[in-house]
Amino acid sequence: MDIIGIDLGTTNSAVGVVESGFPILLANEVGERITPSAVSYLDGGEVVVGAEALRRRGAGGEVITSVKRYMGRRFREVAGEDYCVELSEAADGGVLAAGRKPEVVSADILRKLKQVAELQLEREVEKAVITVPAYFNDAQRNATKLAGEMAGLEVVRIVSEPTAAALAYGLDKLGEEARVAVYDLGGGTFDISVLEMREGVFQVLATDGDTQLGGDDIDEALAYWCWQSVGDGEPLAEGERQRLVDAAREVKELLSSEQEAVLRIPFFREGMHLEQEVTREQFERVVSAVIGRTEGHCRRVLTDAGIKDPSEELDAVVLVGGSTRIPAVRALVERVFGQSADVSQHPDEAVALGAVIQAGVLSGALREMVLLDVTPLSLGIETFGGLMNVLIPRNTTIPCKAGEMFTNAVANQQSMRVRVLQGEREMARDNWELGNVDVSFDPAPKGQARVGVQFSIDENGILEVLARDTLTQQDTVLEIDSAAVDVDDEAVEKMVSESVDYAFDDMSERIFTEAKLKAEELLPAVEAGMSQVGDVMAAEDVAQIREAESEVRAALEAGEANPLKAAVQKLDKATEHMAAVLVEKAMEAALMKKLGE
């Protein structure tokens, strides 16, 4: 059974398969291995995909491009953005592009690629491996999988794009050991991953990125600068904006090989022809802020992977994605990583080739290779006191499972709310809630009801949460759907950077909260214990307990973490003798009761 590999790209897409033991990309009806990710819907219901759709834009038709940037997102995240077609809100709060969900548009692109494969192979295909940006969240991955299913494909694996590129890079290096970084700057997304290859095993050590950063942003920046330079000061209409962006893209591509180019749009407006000369130096100055946004991600991924000197500890920095053709991008990579970039992979085809290789492994058509990906953000639940309890740390290799047992924090409570969180902060309120579920159980004394929580991330990076009442063995499964994740990618980047910026404050608050919970548990226990055995204890021991008790209350009132933690530890130590006396008294009472019987 064939399994095809698909790179569903923001700007371009590609499809391939393993034939006679070799991974190949398949050409479409015009002989091109690359198909533009462009869709146009004609009045009669016909759907046009690819280069033909782009030609309709030149004739003034409505064409949807770069729809990948809106997969799995909420309308309120994107409201007001400039886009090639009108954006509106779906009934479920999602995005509609020209009245269609991004999954529907993506499904039409995938359906086209499926047709290309079937035409070339002269047989039906039903299964596929599809790539996504490494930093796609759960909703975006699910939306991609749904698009594949709508196109009539069983999506057997979702693979991160940098990982796929590393597979393509490492196909002829299976006997070698190497540690490589893959810098993937495409039309709409950016990923950076560090991977280790050893005897056919590809393990992702760390990953980072931004699913709203790519060549589209470079085009927009250049188009805006050109309009500021030669425009008439009037705002751009939607059709005009798109023509200007398309022209800027052509100039950008020319400047990758030339020192200067001319942006020229005849009859742009009545009585207006646009013509602007752009040098490579001007272009690099205009887009430096956009390109520079990748640097922080690169430095963060090196830290996460434990790499201090990339020039010595990395065997290669592999560039993929069409935007890496830009000389300024290559210069930035060489500066950050301290070595020349590896441009051996085809920028537009490497990811698709990696998807084909993974598809070949799954179908048995290629020699065995093991692919070990990672989860990009920590996952956990909220515990008593508003703390974030991490079950699966960031950069854990997937697929994976992790679980923990939790008890009722209050006597006689009848249910427990499991809030599933994603993020890097110590307090639950500072992380993102992916979903929640209430688990019911019989009322019990404090700490007696037990609920097991298990997180399971499959090979596609999709999360399933299972909560089990250990008494009844009843399971509650939480499915994270696309409406549950409401974060944009600037927020993802902000989350990671804030976890570093506020690390000291967060840890201080966590220490205080944990100590406060311990104090609130310990103080009533001390009072109860003293009322039972205080009169038989030495005056010196009683004074020591009372002094420690006063220090705890003072530290609670002051609200300082470390003094409270120290005071609680002191009180805990001071009450050890009291606890022993209480045990002796209980044993005596039990013995007297037995003798009385």
Side-chain angles (χ1 to χ4, degrees):
M1 174 66 71
D2 292 311
I3 302 179
I4 57 175
I6 294 176
D7 171 18
L8 181 61
T10 306
T11 306
N12 296 300
S13 296
V15 61
V17 71
V18 173
E19 278 281 85
S20 303
F22 294 96
I24 58 170
L25 298 187
L26 301 170
N28 56 28
E29 68 277 6
V30 294
E32 298 290 340
R33 293 194 297 268
I34 300 299
T35 298
S37 302
V39 184
S40 182
Y41 296 92
L42 307 187
D43 293 338
E46 183 185 355
V47 181
V48 179
V49 178
E52 186 182 346
L54 288 180
R55 284 194 292 272
R56 290 199 74 250
R57 174 182 281 171
E62 185 176 70
V63 181
I64 301 175
T65 53
S66 300
V67 76
K68 179 176 175 177
R69 299 185 77 157
Y70 297 98
M71 294 282 279
R73 300 184 71 195
R74 317 300 296 153
F75 178 72
R76 61 173 166 267
E77 298 173 34
V78 305
E81 285 188 9
D82 287 329
Y83 187 50
C84 56
V85 296
E86 182 185 359
L87 297 176
S88 58
E89 186 170 8
D92 63 358
V95 180
L96 294 176
R100 292 173 174 85
K101 286 194 169 186
E103 301 94 282
V104 173
V105 181
S106 294
D108 286 323
I109 299 170
L110 291 169
R111 195 173 289 113
K112 171 70 173 181
L113 297 173
K114 181 176 184 287
Q115 291 169 359
V116 167
E118 291 177 337
L119 181 67
Q120 293 290 343
L121 298 173
E122 298 183 338
R123 55 186 181 266
E124 289 188 10
V125 293
E126 299 175 352
K127 298 183 178 183
V129 168
I130 303 177
T131 61
V132 297
Y135 239 59
F136 253 24
N137 60 35
D138 199 64
Q140 291 166 311
R141 289 170 185 263
N142 272 319
T144 303
K145 195 171 184 181
L146 175 61
E149 291 166 355
M150 293 169 68
L153 291 166
E154 178 189 342
V155 183
V156 296
R157 181 70 62 89
I158 297 286
V159 177
S160 295
E161 288 165 7
T163 308
L167 284 173
Y169 170 80
L171 183 61
D172 60 347
K173 304 176 179 65
L174 294 178
E176 301 177 15
E177 292 186 9
R179 182 178 289 183
V180 300
V182 179
Y183 180 103
D184 181 359
L185 185 61
T189 61
F190 170 68
D191 283 310
I192 176 71
S193 293
V194 175
L195 304 95
E196 197 164 67
M197 303 183 299
R198 182 177 300 164
E199 297 178 355
V201 176
F202 292 69
Q203 180 170 4
V204 181
L205 302 180
T207 191
D208 213 302
D210 187 341
T211 58
Q212 304 300 313
L213 172 61
D216 287 354
D217 302 284
I218 294 171
D219 301 339
E220 292 275 359
L222 180 58
Y224 177 78
W225 178 81
C226 288
W227 184 245
Q228 292 294 103
S229 301
V230 298
D232 58 10
E234 293 296 319
L236 290 165
E238 181 52 47
E240 293 173 338
R241 189 196 72 83
Q242 192 58 53
R243 288 180 68 195
L244 185 58
V245 169
D246 290 344
R249 181 176 299 118
E250 292 178 7
V251 168
K252 172 191 73 176
E253 292 170 356
L254 283 171
L255 289 173
S256 291
S257 56
E258 305 292 335
Q259 289 297 322
E260 59 183 44
V262 178
L263 183 144
R264 186 179 289 112
I265 310 178
F267 306 105
F268 185 70
R269 281 181 178 168
E270 186 176 350
M272 176 187 286
H273 303 279
L274 286 188
E275 188 167 314
Q276 170 71 23
E277 184 178 280
V278 185
T279 65
R280 182 184 289 181
E281 182 183 357
Q282 288 173 318
F283 168 72
E284 291 180 350
R285 188 167 60 249
V286 168
V287 303
S288 62
V290 177
I291 294 170
R293 286 166 58 189
T294 68
E295 182 171 348
H297 297 289
C298 292
R299 298 198 182 280
R300 190 178 302 123
V301 85
L302 290 173
T303 300
D304 289 346
I307 293 174
K308 296 180 180 178
D309 185 355
S311 65
E312 294 292 332
E313 297 176 62
L314 289 178
D315 295 286
V317 182
V318 182
L319 299 191
V320 292
S323 298
T324 60
R325 291 186 174 93
I326 299 171
V329 171
R330 297 184 177 187
L332 180 145
V333 169
E334 293 180 7
R335 175 172 57 80
V336 171
F337 291 91
Q339 59 179 282
S340 296
D342 185 312
V343 294
S344 61
Q345 301 305 297
H346 191 295
D348 299 319
E349 296 181 0
V351 170
L353 194 61
V356 173
I357 293 168
Q358 181 62 28
V361 170
L362 293 175
S363 69
L366 266 185
R367 61 187 292 183
E368 188 62 31
M369 290 184 286
V370 181
L371 176 57
L372 302 174
D373 217 329
V374 296
T375 178
L377 289 172
S378 299
L379 294 158
I381 73 169
E382 179 180 10
T383 55
F384 194 60
L387 298 172
M388 165 70 158
N389 188 72
V390 173
L391 271 68
I392 298 179
R394 182 172 182 239
N395 284 327
T396 296
T397 300
I398 60 174
C400 64
K401 287 184 180 180
E404 198 167 321
M405 195 71 69
F406 298 93
T407 62
N408 56 323
V410 179
N412 298 318
Q413 73 182 78
Q414 298 180 1
S415 66
M416 179 185 299
R417 172 158 291 185
V418 178
R419 288 186 66 216
V420 181
L421 305 173
Q422 182 178 37
E424 303 305 313
R425 304 290 297 276
E426 297 292 335
M427 305 305 293
R429 66 169 185 270
D430 297 321
N431 294 297
W432 307 319
E433 181 176 339
L434 297 183
N436 63 75
V437 62
D438 290 322
V439 182
S440 299
F441 43 77
D442 293 335
K446 178 182 176 181
Q448 296 300 306
R450 302 174 73 80
V451 173
V453 177
Q454 177 181 275
F455 281 16
S456 175
I457 304 180
D458 67 14
E459 61 274 12
N460 299 316
I462 295 173
L463 173 67
E464 179 183 87
V465 180
L466 179 147
R468 173 176 296 168
D469 177 357
T470 59
L471 182 63
T472 64
Q473 294 297 302
Q474 184 173 347
D475 291 345
T476 305
V477 177
L478 175 62
E479 296 179 358
I480 308 295
D481 61 23
S482 61
V485 183
D486 189 12
V487 293
D488 60 28
D489 295 285
E490 287 185 9
V492 171
E493 184 178 352
K494 186 179 178 185
M495 163 66 71
V496 178
S497 62
E498 283 186 350
S499 70
V500 177
D501 296 341
Y502 297 106
F504 181 81
D505 292 339
D506 283 0
M507 187 53 66
S508 179
E509 185 172 1
R510 185 179 190 98
I511 290 170
F512 179 80
T513 302
E514 290 175 342
K516 181 172 179 285
L517 292 173
K518 178 71 174 174
E520 290 173 346
E521 181 181 339
L522 194 54
L523 288 172
V526 169
E527 287 302 322
M530 292 294 285
S531 66
Q532 292 183 53
V533 297
D535 54 343
V536 298
M537 292 177 60
E540 182 181 344
D541 289 342
V542 171
Q544 191 176 15
I545 291 172
R546 292 304 185 192
E547 180 186 351
E549 185 181 11
S550 297
E551 288 182 17
V552 169
R553 295 186 189 280
L556 273 172
E557 190 172 338
E560 296 181 3
N562 288 327
L564 177 58
K565 182 180 179 180
V568 168
Q569 290 174 343
K570 182 177 179 180
L571 179 58
D572 203 21
K573 182 75 174 172
T575 55
E576 285 179 356
H577 180 60
M578 182 184 74
V581 174
L582 283 168
V583 171
E584 287 177 9
K585 185 175 180 180
M587 291 177 66
E588 269 183 37
L591 181 61
M592 293 301 294
K593 182 178 180 182
K594 189 171 183 180
L595 290 173
E597 292 174 352

